[in-house]
Amino acid sequence: GKALLADKGYDSEDFICQVLSAGFKPYVKIRNQGIVRSEFRKLAQQFVDSDGLYKQRGRIEALFGEVKQALGSYERTKSFHIAVLFVLAKFVLFNLCAVFVVVIFQTPSPFILPNYLFFLL
């Protein structure tokens, strides 16, 4: 299954069981308070320790931070469904802006090129 990255706030046995039953691999860091007795929590910690995928969680947090700073962090809607649509629209808008900036700065502009050639002569 696909990986689900989560921090220590989601290390409950019930949550990890739900993630496993949905077909995901729970990469959940477990709070160490002595010996971990639950097999599900041990499995989640083994996923975290097995490879470097959990280290990518910082990139995901940074992306959410960028979107929240650029487009706002709160949705004032009464419906959860509408709030989810607004957040998805923000991600689409953020990605379109990123693609627009890349396209502008990686293609030579017809207005800049003649001026550049003028300075070479």
Side-chain angles (χ1 to χ4, degrees):
K2 294 184 180 183
L4 182 117
L5 299 168
D7 61 359
K8 292 179 184 179
Y10 296 96
D11 72 339
S12 73
E13 186 175 349
D14 293 335
F15 178 77
I16 294 171
C17 288
Q18 288 179 0
V19 169
L20 286 169
S21 67
F24 292 99
K25 293 179 183 177
Y27 283 77
V28 180
K29 194 152 183 97
I30 303 298
R31 286 177 255 189
N32 290 333
Q33 298 174 349
I35 299 171
V36 179
R37 299 180 198 277
S38 168
E39 291 300 320
F40 295 114
R41 294 179 77 211
K42 284 181 185 178
L43 179 64
Q45 187 62 41
Q46 287 174 356
F47 281 129
V48 169
D49 295 337
S50 66
D51 55 14
L53 184 63
Y54 186 77
K55 293 179 182 177
Q56 301 297 319
R57 195 177 135 278
R59 289 179 149 181
I60 297 168
E61 295 284 341
L63 173 68
F64 278 105
E66 289 289 325
V67 172
K68 285 168 67 174
Q69 282 184 349
L71 302 172
S73 61
Y74 294 103
E75 297 303 326
R76 295 171 197 221
T77 62
K78 293 181 181 180
S79 168
F80 177 75
H81 179 69
I82 299 298
V84 168
L85 291 177
F86 274 125
V87 170
L88 290 174
K90 283 184 179 184
F91 272 101
V92 169
L93 181 64
F94 186 79
N95 284 327
L96 285 176
C97 291
V99 167
F100 184 68
V101 167
V102 168
V103 167
I104 285 177
F105 289 111
Q106 290 200 356
T107 57
S109 173
F111 301 110
I112 296 174
L113 193 56
N115 293 338
Y116 178 72
L117 292 176
F118 176 75
F119 286 117
L120 286 178
L121 296 175

